[in-house]
Amino acid sequence: MMKKFAIAAGLTLAMGASLAQAHEENAGYVTNSADTIWRTGFGECWHDSSWTEDKAVVGCDGKVAMAEPEPKPVAPAYVMMDDTKKFALYFDFDSTEVGDTSNIVNYIGTLSSLEEVNLVGHADPIGSSEYNQQLSKRRAEAVAAELADAGVDSSKMSIGFLGESAPVANCTGRGAELIACLRPDRRVDVEIMGSKRVEQ
């Protein structure tokens, strides 16, 4: 009986010696020739005599893989692009009273950089050309003052005036009907040039 036990013990030791391969990544564990760690019937990894806690590998002795760090968000790339937009402000007959400019002011607020605001005044052909020339100038000046009051940089504004020389309306009739038809000629053209930051 003792002889059989000694033989069995010798076989076990021989097997252990043959299984214990020198693989650095699994140092401290009993592995086969393919560097696979042997496990007990309970699924536990076999240690060899050199095993210490600091040699624990993922999947053995409760050690789990570290979570992959989440990739840092990539900041969007931007480019500056030129942007030009035109508006028109219309006036009542023989008037320089400026209407709502909020759409112009709001648009300027969307620009990253304001380069120029060109204002050109116009008048309808009713009355003398000299009077209409001055009227168109006063209209352009009134719009410039309104925009400046709203916070637009006055140094970026330029003023021009064409009187009745650049009509867009084609009208017939007389009196109130003619005045109403000529409204498109009573205007200040606003051209805004700047740049916007655009995501690529």
Side-chain angles (χ1 to χ4, degrees):
M1 181 72 176
M2 289 295 292
K3 188 176 180 181
K4 287 182 180 179
F5 179 77
I7 292 170
L11 287 171
T12 302
L13 289 171
M15 184 185 293
S18 66
L19 292 173
Q21 306 293 322
H23 295 286
E24 271 191 37
E25 62 269 25
N26 289 328
Y29 291 92
V30 177
T31 63
N32 62 17
S33 59
D35 198 30
T36 300
I37 297 173
W38 284 73
R39 294 177 182 270
T40 68
F42 298 103
E44 296 173 346
C45 299
W46 280 12
H47 301 162
D48 66 20
S49 58
S50 70
W51 185 88
T52 54
E53 251 183 73
D54 62 313
K55 292 182 179 179
V57 298
V58 173
C60 292
D61 303 295
K63 185 166 182 177
V64 296
M66 292 181 64
E68 287 288 329
E70 291 188 13
K72 292 182 180 179
V74 178
Y78 294 94
V79 293
M80 299 299 288
M81 295 191 67
D82 292 339
D83 197 86
T84 300
K85 196 170 179 69
K86 295 181 179 181
F87 297 86
L89 293 169
Y90 298 98
F91 292 79
D92 290 336
F93 179 68
D94 199 23
S95 172
T96 59
E97 185 175 342
V98 182
D100 184 15
T101 61
S102 61
N103 58 338
I104 297 172
V105 174
N106 290 341
Y107 170 74
I108 291 174
T110 68
L111 296 174
S112 300
S113 174
L114 176 63
E115 303 299 329
E116 289 182 65
V117 180
N118 295 326
L119 308 170
V120 180
H122 300 269
D124 66 31
I126 299 174
S128 70
S129 61
E130 292 82 3
Y131 179 82
N132 289 333
Q133 188 80 353
Q134 290 304 309
L135 179 59
S136 67
K137 178 184 178 183
R138 288 189 286 121
R139 283 173 175 161
E141 290 171 341
V143 172
E146 190 76 16
L147 294 178
D149 286 346
V152 179
D153 186 351
S154 58
S155 70
K156 305 287 187 178
M157 290 188 248
S158 64
I159 292 174
F161 46 96
L162 296 176
E164 60 187 63
S165 64
V168 293
N170 183 15
C171 300
T172 57
R174 303 180 66 182
E177 180 184 351
L178 178 61
I179 289 173
C181 179
L182 289 171
R183 182 174 175 79
D185 290 342
R186 299 189 295 272
R187 71 187 188 279
V188 170
D189 291 326
V190 182
E191 183 180 36
I192 300 166
M193 288 169 281
S195 57
K196 281 186 176 181
R197 193 172 69 163
V198 179
E199 185 177 337
Q200 285 187 313

